[in-house]
Amino acid sequence: SMAWRWAVALALLSRVALGIQVIVAGLGRTGTMSMLTALQTLGYKPYHLKNVMLNASHASAWRQVAEGQLDQVEIIRMIHQEGFDATMDNPMCELFELQMQLFPEAKVILTSHPRGAAG
């Protein structure tokens, strides 16, 4: 129904206004693809390593961060402004503490490998 569509649209707009809602703090290879699918199923737009690999401007921005030419806050702002409301996997998981400071209401999920550090 039209009312349902409006309700969904308003919910999605409020998520964008609130910023990053979910921060997955675990490293890559700790179930991030499953978490990506789960977050997408719940209606989130997660930022994952694949976004870096598929978007030349993102890869370039991360290179600038690594070289100290772009502030970490700026890349997080860029990701948020592009509509992402969840972050995960490398390189975003490396900035989980900064994201927690910028988005104190966000839920934080720590994923880990079943074999621990040996995994």
Side-chain angles (χ1 to χ4, degrees):
S1 74
M2 187 60 116
W4 183 81
R5 288 183 188 160
W6 277 106
V8 170
L10 287 172
L12 292 175
L13 285 173
S14 67
R15 276 190 182 166
V16 171
L18 293 172
I20 301 298
Q21 296 296 295
V22 180
I23 301 165
V24 181
L27 296 171
R29 308 303 308 154
T30 60
T32 56
M33 287 305 292
S34 297
M35 185 63 68
L36 174 72
T37 301
L39 290 171
Q40 288 172 328
T41 300
L42 292 171
Y44 290 96
K45 183 179 177 186
Y47 188 83
H48 185 273
L49 177 62
K50 70 177 189 151
N51 298 104
V52 179
M53 296 186 322
L54 296 174
N55 187 322
S57 67
H58 284 240
S60 175
W62 280 107
R63 187 169 32 260
Q64 291 175 2
V65 168
E67 295 170 353
Q69 299 170 356
L70 181 65
D71 188 72
Q72 294 173 343
V73 172
E74 290 304 314
I75 199 158
I76 292 171
R77 184 175 294 132
M78 176 191 81
I79 289 163
H80 171 248
Q81 287 175 344
E82 291 188 18
F84 294 97
D85 55 7
T87 63
M88 59 193 331
D89 204 14
N90 302 80
M92 286 302 292
C93 65
E94 303 290 337
L95 305 179
F96 79 92
E97 291 174 297
L98 178 57
Q99 293 179 76
M100 289 171 62
Q101 292 171 0
L102 294 172
F103 306 103
E105 299 298 316
K107 304 299 181 215
V108 179
I109 301 170
L110 177 60
T111 55
S112 61
H113 196 281
R115 292 192 302 267

